[in-house]
């Protein structure tokens, strides 16, 4: 068993997700008027969203749909983040300041409705796949993308079950670095590692 | 008459002699007293020194023991934290250095370590809580110990002492009482009476509304609004707009669900 380059820590998918303390604090769901307080609030929201998505292995969010999920809606407190506030949070996460952990998909001018959630950035996924290939001595081996994302061999890896498009995008980073080559057609992409 | 005159003279003379004798005796006694006190003191110092060496580990690792040790030192007027910085403490002057020597660096170091953690935590959370954090919360976080060295066993008492050890730095860290809670204030800004009153009231339910202030404190609307605006501006409270009336919450109520 190769060492996991990104140990998933305590967030094993089988256990219940443990919300951060702020999730039980009613004003957390109202963006704060004080800029200082708000900046710390945005950071906390970012942490919360990333750990939630990581736990539930969510790779993309559709804003409207997500608003009614526990991510943004605390049913016990009967508090939820409004559409506008949620957009503000996601926009902040998409910014340099927020670590570019969100990337809007399509749409422009504040109308974006769907986004990537990078609890690992594509570069980090690329590293994870690269290290796995190296650690298991499979350089020179050809994989299909399906094998990498859904295959038996990678079941123990964090990238098992990764969104296909995200995987493709991450692997292209390895290609650019000259560490791999992608070939084949749309549905049957293969990759060879050097 | 003559005898009485002589008597006066004599008695005056002998009185002086007696007085002299008394003075002499007094000063001898005083000297002996001082000497014995000095001996006692040096014996005591040695014992205290020995004690702190023998039990240094215990003092560092066991919060109850440490608190007792600190209390004992306090009772006899020794400030275990006193160093060259705090020479004004109890007018010990050069003695303060001596105490630091006597007690060894261990005890000092421990409190300074705690103080460093306290400063770190206060800074980390300042944006969230406006520089006011519950002592108990700090203790929980220090015990969890995410940082270097892992968790430390500390008591609220230790934290209070650690904060006190920061005083000579003029850092503005103070421990204050707010209702039943002990808070560490890390921003040297005075709260006015109205602000303190509100912050104290908040500790009951976790939040207040303007109408609660009007009803319970007999304030006028404008006064209550002004205080709340100030507290928001100082990041000391968070607002919740998803209610019938705006609720102002204290960030000290950000707790894990099981503690709520």
């Amino acid at each position: 068993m190769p060492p996991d380059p990104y140990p998933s820590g305590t967030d094993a998918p089988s256990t219940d997700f443990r919300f951060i303390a702020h999730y039980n604090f009613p004003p957390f769901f109202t963006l704060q008027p004080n800029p200082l307080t708000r900046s710390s609030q945005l950071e906390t929201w970012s942490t919360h969203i990333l750990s939630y998505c990581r736990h539930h292995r969510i790779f993309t969010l559709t804003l409207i749909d997500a608003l009614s999920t526990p991510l943004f809606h605390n049913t016990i407190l009967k508090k939820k983040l409004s559409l506008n506030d949620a957009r503000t949070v996601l926009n902040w996460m998409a910014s340099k300041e927020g670590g570019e952990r969100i990337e809007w998909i399509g749409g422009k001018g504040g109308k974006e409705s769907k986004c990537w959630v990078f609890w690992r950035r594509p570069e980090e996924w690329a590293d994870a796949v690269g290290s796995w290939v190296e650690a298991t001595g499979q350089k020179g081996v050809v994989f299909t993308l399906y094998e990498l994302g859904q295959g038996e061999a990678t079941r123990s890896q964090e990238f098992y079950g990764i969104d296909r498009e995200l995987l493709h995008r991450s692997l292209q980073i390895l290609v650019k670095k000259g560490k791999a080559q992608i070939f084949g057609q749309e549905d049957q992409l293969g990759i060879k590692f050097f | 008459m003559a005898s009485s005159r002589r008597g006066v003279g004599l008695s005056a003379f002998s009185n002086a002699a007696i007085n002299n004798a008394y003075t002499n005796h007094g000063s001898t006694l005083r000297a002996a007293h001082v000497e014995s006190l000095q001996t006692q003191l040096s014996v005591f110092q040695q014992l205290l020194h020995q004690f702190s060496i023998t039990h240094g580990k215990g003092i560092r690792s066991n919060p109850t023991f440490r608190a007792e040790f600190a209390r004992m030192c306090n009772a006899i007027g020794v400030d275990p934290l006193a160093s060259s910085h705090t020479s004004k403490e109890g007018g010990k002057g050069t003695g303060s250095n001596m105490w630091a020597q006597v007690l060894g660096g261990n005890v000092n170091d421990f409190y300074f370590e705690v103080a460093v953690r306290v400063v770190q935590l206060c800074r980390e959370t300042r944006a969230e809580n406006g520089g006011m954090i519950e002592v108990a919360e700090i203790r929980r976080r220090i015990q969890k110990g995410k940082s270097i060295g892992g968790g430390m066993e500390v008591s609220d008492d230790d934290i209070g002492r650690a904060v006190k050890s920061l005083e000579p730095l003029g850092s503005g860290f103070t421990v204050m009482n707010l209702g039943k809670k002990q808070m560490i204030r890390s921003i040297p800004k005075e709260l006015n009476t109205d602000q303190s009153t509100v912050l104290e009231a908040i500790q009951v339910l976790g939040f207040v509304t303007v109408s609660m202030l009007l009803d319970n404190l007999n304030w006028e609307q404008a006064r209550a609004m002004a205080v709340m605006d100030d507290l928001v501006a100082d990041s000391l409270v968070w607002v919740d707009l998803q209610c019938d009336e705006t609720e102002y919450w204290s960030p000290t109520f950000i707790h894990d669900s099981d503690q709520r």
Side-chain angles (χ1 to χ4, degrees), chain B residues 45-207:
Chain B
Q45 277 170 12
Q46 265 170 15
L47 288 178
L48 194 59
H49 188 39
Q50 237 161 31
F51 184 85
S52 75
I53 289 174
T54 327
H55 298 284
K57 241 187 179 165
I59 292 172
R60 280 174 72 83
S61 61
N62 182 344
T64 328
F65 190 14
R66 188 164 56 242
E68 286 303 325
F69 178 72
R71 206 162 298 142
M72 178 182 90
C73 288
N74 246 353
I76 54 181
V78 178
D79 182 356
L81 289 179
S83 67
S84 46
H85 294 297
T86 51
S87 48
K88 63 171 193 261
E89 293 259 341
K92 280 190 208 88
T94 52
S96 55
N97 266 331
M98 179 185 75
W99 285 124
Q101 274 172 12
V102 165
L103 293 176
N106 269 356
V107 187
N108 272 336
D109 287 353
F110 172 82
Y111 284 109
F112 291 151
E113 266 171 50
V114 175
V116 168
R117 287 293 294 138
V118 170
V119 173
Q120 274 176 350
L121 288 169
C122 285
R123 291 184 65 100
E124 270 168 29
T125 57
R126 197 172 278 174
E128 186 171 289
N129 57 32
M132 184 127 80
I133 188 164
E134 208 181 328
V135 171
E137 177 67 23
I138 290 265
R139 170 171 50 76
R140 272 195 290 276
R141 292 196 186 207
I142 291 182
Q143 281 170 345
K144 255 200 227 159
K146 280 184 209 151
S147 77
I148 328 144
M152 281 195 269
E153 269 302 311
V154 292
S155 64
D156 289 0
D157 185 72
D158 290 332
I159 292 168
R161 281 171 209 284
V163 170
K164 238 185 149 209
S165 75
L166 293 170
E167 252 169 32
L169 301 173
S171 51
F173 280 71
T174 44
V175 176
M176 57 182 277
N177 287 314
L178 202 66
K180 280 179 193 156
K181 288 179 177 169
Q182 274 202 313
M183 314 287 291
I184 296 177
R185 185 98 171 94
S186 62
I187 291 178
K189 196 179 171 210
E190 285 295 318
L191 295 172
N192 63 37
T193 335
D194 282 3
Q195 288 170 332
S196 310
T197 311
V198 171
L199 286 179
E200 218 173 302
I202 283 186
Q203 303 305 326
V204 180
L205 284 176
F207 70 97

Side-chain angles (χ1 to χ4, degrees), chain A residues 25-33 41 45 79-81 85, chain B residues 238-243:
Chain A
F25 185 58
F28 187 52
F29 295 86
T30 298
L31 277 192
Q32 296 300 302
Q41 187 185 17
W45 262 108
K79 304 283 171 193
K80 59 175 184 232
L81 211 57
D85 286 356
Chain B
W238 288 46
V239 296
D240 181 2
L241 301 176
Q242 297 176 39
C243 323

Side-chain angles (χ1 to χ4, degrees), chain A residues 18 21-22 24-30 32-34 36-37 40-41 44 77 79-80, chain B residues 127-128 232-233 235 238-243 249-251 253-258 260:
Chain A
R18 195 174 158 77
H22 297 72
N24 298 304
F25 185 58
F28 187 52
F29 295 86
T30 298
Q32 296 300 302
N34 177 315
L36 194 67
T37 316
S40 109
Q41 187 185 17
T44 313
L77 293 184
K79 304 283 171 193
K80 59 175 184 232
Chain B
E128 186 171 289
V232 171
S235 337
W238 288 46
V239 296
D240 181 2
L241 301 176
Q242 297 176 39
C243 323
W249 282 79
S250 160
F253 278 74
I254 302 177
H255 283 323
D256 287 334
S257 47
D258 45 326
R260 233 176 90 81

Side-chain angles (χ1 to χ4, degrees), chain A residues 144-194:
Chain A
T144 63
L145 259 58
Y146 177 84
E147 274 177 314
L148 277 182
Q150 258 85 40
E152 277 302 312
T154 60
R155 192 173 279 275
S156 65
Q157 298 302 307
E158 196 181 16
F159 56 81
Y160 178 78
I162 187 176
D163 180 278
R164 206 185 131 80
E165 202 180 327
L166 181 57
L167 177 63
H168 190 181
R169 181 170 157 181
S170 306
L171 292 176
Q172 269 163 348
I173 294 172
L174 291 178
V175 173
K176 265 191 199 143
K177 285 185 182 166
K179 288 186 176 169
Q181 191 185 357
I182 297 182
F183 49 82
Q185 304 294 319
E186 265 300 304
D187 279 346
Q188 289 157 345
L189 286 174
I191 181 163
K192 185 177 179 180
F193 295 91
F194 312 124

